[in-house]
């Protein structure tokens, strides 16, 4: 398994501002992902965070809105930029371990006013 | 991409009852996992099961890859089993998991 620390756990932000979410893993992992869970909905993949190169974004998500950094195999950040109320969601960091199991951080609950 | 359908969307059980949750997927998969999201939002990995059958205590899962479905069995349900159960899959050549819409389970005493 993997222990994933994600922070902040929650935040309330004003529209037009940006928030950076941090994800720290207790071991080196190759595959790290960021998901979004809108209220009452399932999980949607935002992007795959690639170590040492640009993230790979899913359809509907762009780098200008959700810039991602992955400086090493244990850490990643997701920034939600120029926020609007529609960005209010839970953002989740996840990692795929060597036995191909996916583990999640505790999530960041974001509310945009 | 792969489509994932879960049923039923909602399920209410009396404590002690058994239940079966279903996950259908539209294409062959190389990875299938079941998750439980508790009422506080934490996602717990229950099973990695792209094929075959596994058991863990009161929970068991079966995936019939050739027929493109997976089942999660919960026996002797407890109130702590309440939450949302998600099935997630990835197809050949992909590491990215696609989630179904989930089954919301409520176990009442």
């Amino acid at each position: 398994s993997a222990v994933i620390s994600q922070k902040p756990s929650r935040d309330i932000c004003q529209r037009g501002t940006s928030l950076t979410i941090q994800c720290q893993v207790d071991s080196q992992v190759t595959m790290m992902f960021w998901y979004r869970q809108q209220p009452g909905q399932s999980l949607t993949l935002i992007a795959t965070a690639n170590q040492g190169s640009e993230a790979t974004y899913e359809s509907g998500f762009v780098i200008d809105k959700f810039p991602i950094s992955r400086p090493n195999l244990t850490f990643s950040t997701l920034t939600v930029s120029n926020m609007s109320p529609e960005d209010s969601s839970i953002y989740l960091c996840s990692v795929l371990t060597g036995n191909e199991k996916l583990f999640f951080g505790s999530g960041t609950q974001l509310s945009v006013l | 991409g792969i489509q994932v359908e879960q049923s039923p969307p909602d399920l209410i059980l009396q404590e002690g009852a058994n239940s079966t949750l279903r996950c259908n997927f539209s294409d062959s998969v190389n990875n299938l996992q079941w998750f439980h999201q508790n009422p506080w939002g934490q996602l717990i990995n229950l099973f990695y099961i792209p094929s075959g059958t596994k058991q863990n205590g009161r929970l068991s899962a079966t995936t019939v890859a050739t027929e493109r479905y997976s089942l999660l069995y919960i026996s002797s349900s407890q109130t702590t089993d309440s939450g949302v159960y998600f099935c997630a899959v990835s197809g050949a050549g992909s590491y990215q998991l696609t989630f179904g819409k989930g089954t919301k389970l409520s176990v009442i005493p």
Side-chain angles (χ1 to χ4, degrees):
Chain A
S1 65
V3 177
I4 304 169
S5 300
Q6 188 174 335
K7 57 181 182 181
S9 58
R10 61 178 63 236
D11 207 340
I12 301 173
C13 300
Q14 297 296 318
R15 70 172 64 210
T17 63
S18 299
L19 176 71
T20 296
I21 303 167
Q22 297 182 3
C23 178
Q24 178 75 52
V25 189
D26 68 339
S27 59
Q28 294 186 338
V29 292
T30 303
M31 306 300 294
M32 185 178 286
F33 309 98
W34 288 97
Y35 282 86
R36 181 176 74 181
Q37 186 175 28
Q38 294 178 301
Q41 304 295 312
S42 183
L43 283 75
T44 300
L45 181 63
I46 297 171
T48 302
N50 301 309
Q51 193 266 330
S53 65
E54 194 170 285
T56 304
Y57 289 85
E58 298 300 305
S59 176
F61 298 95
V62 295
I63 188 171
D64 289 347
K65 176 67 175 177
F66 298 101
I68 290 170
S69 77
R70 179 91 190 269
N72 56 53
L73 292 177
T74 63
F75 185 78
S76 179
T77 65
L78 168 74
T79 299
V80 186
S81 303
N82 188 25
M83 288 183 285
S84 67
E86 292 71 34
D87 295 320
S88 297
S89 294
I90 298 173
Y91 293 86
L92 294 143
C93 169
S94 64
V95 302
L96 197 67
T97 59
N99 58 2
E100 299 193 40
K101 295 185 74 171
L102 190 69
F103 293 93
F104 284 88
S106 55
T108 296
Q109 185 162 345
L110 172 62
S111 298
V112 184
L113 305 178
Chain B
I2 294 180
Q3 305 300 310
V4 184
E5 293 186 0
Q6 291 186 242
S7 60
D10 295 278
L11 185 59
I12 300 174
L13 293 178
Q14 201 77 37
E15 198 169 26
N18 303 328
S19 63
T20 301
L21 283 57
R22 187 175 180 103
C23 171
N24 292 334
F25 42 94
S26 61
D27 205 346
S28 58
V29 298
N30 63 1
N31 193 332
L32 187 148
Q33 302 187 34
W34 284 95
F35 296 86
H36 174 219
Q37 187 169 39
N38 65 26
W40 296 271
Q42 181 65 50
L43 278 152
I44 305 298
N45 191 305
L46 298 175
F47 292 104
Y48 164 79
I49 189 165
S51 63
T53 297
K54 290 186 177 180
Q55 181 158 5
N56 184 2
R58 296 182 295 104
L59 274 60
S60 64
T62 295
T63 297
V64 184
T66 53
E67 297 188 19
R68 299 182 183 169
Y69 72 89
S70 183
L71 303 174
L72 178 69
Y73 306 96
I74 304 174
S75 63
S76 304
S77 59
Q78 301 175 358
T79 55
T80 52
D81 295 330
S82 296
V84 182
Y85 289 81
F86 290 105
C87 170
V89 305
S90 65
S94 173
Y95 292 100
Q96 289 78 8
L97 285 159
T98 298
F99 280 71
K101 293 186 176 181
T103 292
K104 183 176 181 181
L105 175 64
S106 300
V107 181
I108 55 177

